Amino acid sequence: MPELPEVETVRVQLIDKVVGKKIKGVEVFHDKTVGFDEDFEQKLLGKIISDIGRVGKLLFFSFKNESDLFMLAHLKMTGQFFYVSKNEVVTGGGHSMTENDMREFPGRHTRCAFYFADGTSLYFNDMRIFGYLRLVDKPGLETAKSGYGPEPIDPDFDIDWFLQKLKRRNTNIKAVLLDQTFVSGLGNIYVDEALWRAKVLPERQASSLSKREATALAVASKEVMLESILKGGTTFQSFADTEGREGNFRDYLKVFGRQGQICERCGGEIKKIRVAGRGTHFCSKCQR
DNA sequence: ACTCTTGTTAAAAC
DNA sequence: GGTTTTAACAAGAG
């Protein structure tokens, strides 16, 4: 389940692997993935990838000498980009891949393939078909980007603004942190982790947080995501990087998936409940 | 057969 | 208009 750290991991790897490459062929295996754009392949033929940006969990590809064409890419829950270098025998290694996927690309869940002029290729796999690839013009890119709030990892993230906004939100803090139009990048895993670090219960009303708690939460959100990026993200059920490897931050999770275990900070029991419609993990003793 | 998993969004309620 | 809640989406794991 890719959140900001996982998407950033993919972005950095993709930049290293496909920027500067010319698209020689495109194959769409599932129309919904490309928004039923019948010209998807044709629009990309001959284009050279010049950069890959990110806002929140959304990636956007730019192309050389094309100021009005961009490809948005959202992994949603099970989207994965796999890069295959030429002549490489793909045996795969990610535990999330089915045996079919491990044997060859394209595999059962491959929704789109990009073939480059140098013989390498990039596959977009997405088991549940929630993810998408979309071609947009410059205004379309701006519209997409405008829907995202600031990222806690941004050096310019304004904690005072964060404090003031929280006071006006009339729902639980978990739902607020999951709202990408408010702050972007956090998903179910990192929200639970940030709340644990800040010692705040997920069901607390956002407006009830003290200045100290809200500040701790902003700092915790930033730190947990930055630390995860350094570990290549978290693999819980399905995340894999561009080579099919898992992320290594899973070992550093303090509450997510640890229901029934003991909190390493206070010895309390980690519980799992449902908040904001999501499985929610927290320490029943040291989070308040 | 049934429940659970989650990022985003549409729709409806307020 | 902004906020909030809920369901829907899809497919697999258990």
Side-chain angles (χ1 to χ4, degrees):
Chain A
M1 286 126 330
E3 302 174 30
L4 188 152
E6 291 74 38
V7 177
E8 177 65 9
T9 296
V10 169
R11 186 185 77 88
V12 170
Q13 292 182 2
L14 283 180
I15 283 182
D16 187 43
K17 288 169 172 154
V18 304
V19 161
K21 297 200 175 181
K22 185 174 184 175
I23 299 174
K24 187 183 71 179
V26 179
E27 219 174 343
V28 174
F29 300 99
H30 201 287
D31 291 338
K32 185 194 173 197
T33 297
V34 299
F36 305 100
D37 181 353
E38 295 180 357
D39 301 323
F40 187 83
E41 296 100 324
Q42 182 267 321
K43 287 176 187 165
L44 287 173
L45 284 181
K47 301 294 187 289
I48 297 170
I49 298 174
S50 58
D51 195 15
I52 302 170
R54 179 189 59 72
V55 53
K57 306 169 192 174
L58 180 69
L59 292 171
F60 50 95
F61 292 63
S62 310
F63 305 96
K64 189 177 178 185
N65 298 327
E66 296 288 340
S67 58
D68 205 33
L69 178 70
F70 302 91
M71 184 176 78
L72 308 180
H74 204 300
L75 304 176
K76 288 288 182 86
M77 291 157 61
T78 57
Q80 305 171 326
F81 275 111
F82 287 109
Y83 173 80
V84 179
S85 59
K86 56 183 167 184
N87 301 325
E88 180 179 349
V89 176
V90 180
T91 52
H95 84 133
S96 64
M97 291 195 290
T98 65
E99 287 190 14
N100 193 16
D101 287 329
M102 284 191 232
R103 274 195 289 275
E104 59 181 329
F105 287 100
R108 186 150 74 101
H109 301 304
T110 301
R111 309 306 179 188
C112 186
F114 302 88
Y115 305 106
F116 300 112
D118 68 350
T120 62
S121 43
L122 183 67
Y123 297 89
F124 182 71
N125 281 19
D126 185 19
M127 182 181 79
R128 288 168 71 175
I129 323 178
F130 286 174
Y132 62 78
L133 306 174
R134 293 275 186 286
L135 296 180
V136 296
D137 56 13
K138 182 75 175 172
L141 173 66
E142 295 308 320
T143 299
K145 288 164 78 170
S146 70
Y148 291 88
E151 299 177 0
I153 65 166
D154 189 329
D156 295 329
F157 187 79
D158 188 340
I159 292 184
D160 286 330
W161 168 87
F162 182 69
L163 263 50
Q164 294 309 312
K165 287 283 275 188
L166 281 190
K167 286 181 184 170
R168 293 182 219 112
R169 296 297 293 257
N170 198 30
T171 186
N172 62 72
I173 185 63
K174 171 148 184 171
V176 173
L177 292 179
L178 285 173
D179 179 357
Q180 303 297 299
T181 68
F182 175 45
V183 293
S184 61
L186 294 164
N188 206 34
I189 294 175
Y190 297 108
V191 164
D192 284 3
E193 294 298 311
L195 286 166
W196 179 83
R197 290 185 180 213
K199 301 183 183 178
V200 173
L201 287 170
E203 286 180 296
R204 282 278 300 282
Q205 282 293 112
S207 55
S208 78
L209 266 64
S210 68
K211 184 172 182 179
R212 172 186 292 271
E213 287 172 327
T215 302
L217 191 51
V219 171
S221 299
K222 172 185 189 157
E223 291 181 350
V224 72
M225 289 197 288
L226 286 178
E227 288 170 24
S228 183
I229 290 171
L230 292 177
K231 299 292 182 186
T234 301
T235 294
F236 210 83
Q237 285 185 354
S238 68
F239 175 69
D241 71 10
T242 59
E243 293 183 22
R245 295 174 305 220
E246 299 187 356
N248 295 313
F249 194 67
R250 183 178 178 161
D251 300 337
Y252 301 87
L253 300 178
K254 305 301 186 186
V255 286
F256 194 88
R258 294 192 183 277
Q259 57 271 26
Q261 298 180 23
I262 296 304
C263 172
E264 71 164 39
R265 184 168 57 202
C266 75
E269 183 189 352
I270 294 168
K271 295 186 174 175
K272 181 177 181 182
I273 58 174
R274 185 156 288 265
V275 179
R278 299 295 176 221
T280 298
H281 314 72
F282 67 101
C283 173
S284 52
K285 188 175 172 189
C286 62
Q287 284 177 253
R288 297 178 183 279

